[in-house]
Amino acid sequence: MDRFQRFLFLKTMPAFAEIPAEVAQVVAANTRPRSFAKGEHLYRSGVPAVEVQYIVQGRCEIVRNGKPVRRLGPRSVVGGISALAGEAQGYDCIALEDMLTLAIKVEDSQEIFEDHFVFLKRVLRGTSREVLDSRRKLGVHAGFGPVAEPFSFPDRPFDLVERMAFLRKTFSFGASEIDAIADLARDIQEVHLPKGEVLWNIGDRSTYFLLPLRGVIDCKATEPDQRFQLGPGDSVGAIDSMAAERRWYRAEVIEDLVAFRIDAEVLLEVLEDHFTMATSLLKAMATGILNLYDQGG
């Protein structure tokens, strides 16, 4: 496949549906065709992923800790989660039939992320959708554990420094620059919601999420039926907000709630200005997906 053919193929992929043509051309220029015979490994557990691959022909299976977790076919992306997580273990990925892919080096994709936020934003959205898909496969509790104890906090509104400290500790921004944390902290809202307040219903638009400090939220999903509770330390509604998907569960406050509210568009604006924060979030999400795979998601 020449460069133009690679570009045309990428534009047929769902992952590139919202990517401007000029950015897709940059990605295409950095890819190379690769072939794999049936039974050959695209990736091996314990070997860091150095390329992300776009499947042109054929199918493959991802195996994590000896358990099959995904089968992928044409116009799918493979290797991205392992590469983003930067985890040594990763997973095995085995060709189920002869395959043709377009491969891009991780370091090249990182450069494109930094130069073209629209591409990074699309990867954030796709990664969030993978989190959502994995949660939906994890039984009645969607892989969530028990509600944690409430955070200790003053009986007054948080000041900027306290909001920054909370964000750094709870939302995967530990490696981010102070300026990035400060920019986000200035725009979050502290909210107090009473028991009985319905935050949203299934199918509502998802434009924001909550980081609870105290209180409990009861969550009910259908198709499949799932029920779980979220509270301090959880990000409530972040998966669907970042994936730009409709709400997948009904959320009701069952214990008076104190939380920080973050609008998805505000977060994206901060991420666009602070590349390290964006890549830290992507890495945390990818690591979370591998953990969900381990649970059976």
Side-chain angles (χ1 to χ4, degrees), residues 55-70:
I55 301 175
V56 180
Q57 297 173 0
R59 296 178 304 127
C60 60
E61 183 170 62
I62 293 174
V63 179
R64 170 91 168 168
N65 295 324
K67 297 187 300 184
V69 295
R70 289 288 185 279

Side-chain angles (χ1 to χ4, degrees), residues 136-137 202 220-226 248-249:
R136 299 294 274 154
K137 296 174 181 176
I202 295 172
K220 298 178 185 178
T222 58
E223 298 180 1
D225 290 339
Q226 292 178 306
W248 60 287
Y249 57 83

